[in-house]
Amino acid sequence: MMPNRAAVLKEQYQNSIGLPFSDVLPEAEIQAVLEAQGVTYRQVLYTPIVVLWSWLSQVLDSDSSLSHAVKRVTTWMRVAGLSVPSADTGAYSKARKRWPESIFPPLVKRVATALQAQVSPAQRWCGRVVRAFDATTILMSDTEVNQRAYPQHSNQKSGCGFPLLKLQVWFCVTTGAVLEVAMAPFRVSEWRLARHLYQTLCPEDVVVADSAYGTYVDLAGVTAMGADAVFRKHHQRRCDFRRGKKLGIGDHIVRWQRPKKCPHALSPEEFEALPEALEVREVYLSIQVPGFRPSNFVVVTTLIDPKRYPRAKLAQLYQLRWQAAEVNLRHLKTTLAMEMIAAKTPTMVTKSIWVHLLAYNLLRTLMWEAGADAEVGALRLSLQGTRQQFNHFRPELLHLSPSARPQGYQALLNAVRELIIPFRPHRSEPRVVKRRPKPFPRMQEPRSVAKAKLVA
């Protein structure tokens, strides 16, 4: 009976949540990744493929609890007339723990690569692949093992804060997909994470980021991989447009010298490997958006050809950075509820983050396919709306006959294609909160100590 139940459960998942993604994440590819990692399993109900799709369902559902995921399984078993497994979440929880973390990065990479393959050179910025990146923080359950691996912020009292993980994500500017990821404790600088990810760059790639990375070391790290960078100038570096090779008003090429002292984030060996000088183009940009004050700043870049990369193109690229990095990080943390990971061990925390990233890339794939033939690009479609629409279609896809599934999938794409975010150029909201918090004091001591005082 158990193999029948497992087969029914796998079929249910593949014909519902897995149906739209059968090309980018087919069962054969998942099995290949499992075999490459040496993963074997007995004929149990929660096979690896079932666990993967169920875990993705948790991320995409508004109720992401384990009990909600298990209730879906018990419902399917009842409808199929098979013996119903226990409603306890223990078996499913143990099955998730058995998944090696090393399996997730290849799956995230495969979906991103498949999405990148659909992008034509004409859709790219100046025909080149552009990556935008930024760092953020993730909270997790306050357990002893989590605190050891990812200590809380140093300005919080012991037992009164949450373990803190630093996450750096690289996004594709054209598709919005997650391309590369680095995780570390909060005390590790984001510069170290970025310089580690520079090793993943391909020749002809372009990276764009904020002023934290507008330094000699970062520009040298990018150019060493044959790629180019567009960073906002670091606030400590002075810029004098009267010097260097003049390309226009507020546009020139200068020669940067390697710092005299080794930065803290570099080893002496890494510092000595840097070139002694770099040719850098400094461009003064003034970005004017109706309804907002003009934004004036200087970008530093290794794109020194002013004909192929004019100032207007650089301004366009830096405007795309906000959408590609800041907004997409908000989608991950807010829309997909990744800001707080309710896992009690560091391993499960990082696994959960990878599942969120995989779910995000799958949604981006759905949005790209929906916007392929539309007048409005995929980045103008609503990710939250796509998630909601997909959740409504999942039970409908499950009941379609094999011959009707392509038509059902096309209906889903048509629905997503209509989820266009309104163009609101004059929208400007103050960063204030109207809802008042409840008048309870902030925690100043561990909860166990406070509870002991109540009974004392």
Side-chain angles (χ1 to χ4, degrees), residues 2-301:
M2 186 67 74
N4 291 334
R5 294 198 304 171
V8 167
L9 190 55
K10 184 176 74 171
E11 182 181 7
Q12 296 287 81
Y13 274 115
Q14 290 181 329
N15 291 336
S16 57
I17 182 175
L19 181 60
F21 312 116
S22 57
D23 291 336
V24 296
L25 205 59
E27 179 183 355
E29 177 65 25
I30 299 173
Q31 291 285 12
V33 174
L34 291 169
E35 292 173 4
Q37 300 290 339
V39 176
T40 58
Y41 56 91
R42 298 177 291 109
Q43 288 295 328
V44 294
L45 180 64
Y46 293 109
T47 62
I49 292 180
V50 166
V51 171
L52 174 63
W53 290 119
S54 182
W55 208 337
L56 287 168
S57 295
Q58 286 183 257
V59 174
L60 295 174
D61 284 336
S62 56
D63 182 353
S64 60
S65 64
L66 291 176
S67 60
H68 183 65
V70 172
K71 285 182 176 64
R72 180 182 292 111
V73 173
T74 57
T75 300
W76 283 342
M77 293 297 103
R78 290 182 190 277
V79 173
L82 300 174
S83 60
V84 180
S86 171
D88 185 78
T89 61
Y92 175 56
S93 178
K94 291 177 182 178
R96 297 200 321 168
K97 291 178 181 178
R98 287 195 295 267
W99 257 77
E101 182 184 343
S102 57
I103 292 178
F104 291 108
L107 296 180
V108 174
K109 189 71 174 178
R110 174 183 169 78
V111 176
T113 302
L115 181 52
Q116 294 291 94
Q118 301 181 48
V119 182
S120 65
Q123 293 173 303
R124 296 171 180 159
W125 182 83
C126 294
R128 300 181 66 172
V129 176
V130 181
R131 308 181 181 205
F133 65 89
D134 207 347
T136 187
T137 55
I138 303 294
L139 301 174
M140 64 195 75
S141 297
D142 188 15
T143 63
E144 185 177 348
V145 288
N146 282 347
Q147 285 282 11
R148 285 200 300 267
Y150 302 104
Q152 66 185 39
H153 200 284
S154 58
N155 66 2
Q156 293 177 312
K157 295 181 180 179
S158 177
C160 300
F162 289 98
L164 201 57
L165 177 146
K166 183 167 290 182
L167 176 72
Q168 185 164 106
V169 187
W170 287 32
F171 297 94
C172 173
V173 166
T174 307
T175 64
V178 171
L179 301 178
E180 302 292 343
V181 179
M183 307 179 202
F186 178 75
R187 62 177 177 270
V188 177
S189 72
E190 58 186 88
W191 295 281
R192 185 173 293 277
L193 297 181
R195 290 160 192 171
H196 170 72
L197 290 180
Y198 292 155
Q199 307 304 313
T200 66
L201 287 170
C202 301
E204 291 299 303
D205 281 353
V206 178
V207 291
V208 57
D210 60 25
S211 61
Y213 305 94
T215 66
Y216 181 93
V217 175
D218 290 276
L219 289 174
V222 173
T223 55
M225 303 304 297
D228 287 296
V230 179
F231 297 147
R232 190 166 176 171
K233 182 184 68 68
H234 195 275
H235 66 278
Q236 291 185 343
R237 178 173 286 275
R238 293 185 178 181
C239 179
D240 186 354
F241 285 103
R242 296 171 298 180
R243 302 175 57 188
K245 180 181 178 181
K246 193 175 184 64
L247 302 177
I249 299 176
D251 189 353
H252 69 164
I253 297 175
V254 292
R255 192 169 180 83
W256 284 13
Q257 300 296 325
R258 187 176 67 182
K260 296 181 179 180
K261 293 183 179 180
C262 177
H264 295 296
L266 284 184
S267 65
E269 294 76 18
E270 292 172 325
F271 181 70
E272 290 299 325
L274 296 176
E276 293 191 1
L278 282 176
E279 271 198 342
V280 178
R281 181 182 174 194
E282 299 176 339
V283 186
Y284 179 86
L285 298 180
S286 179
I287 298 178
Q288 299 185 9
V289 179
F292 294 84
R293 288 181 298 176
S295 179
N296 304 316
F297 55 90
V298 176
V299 297
V300 294
T301 176

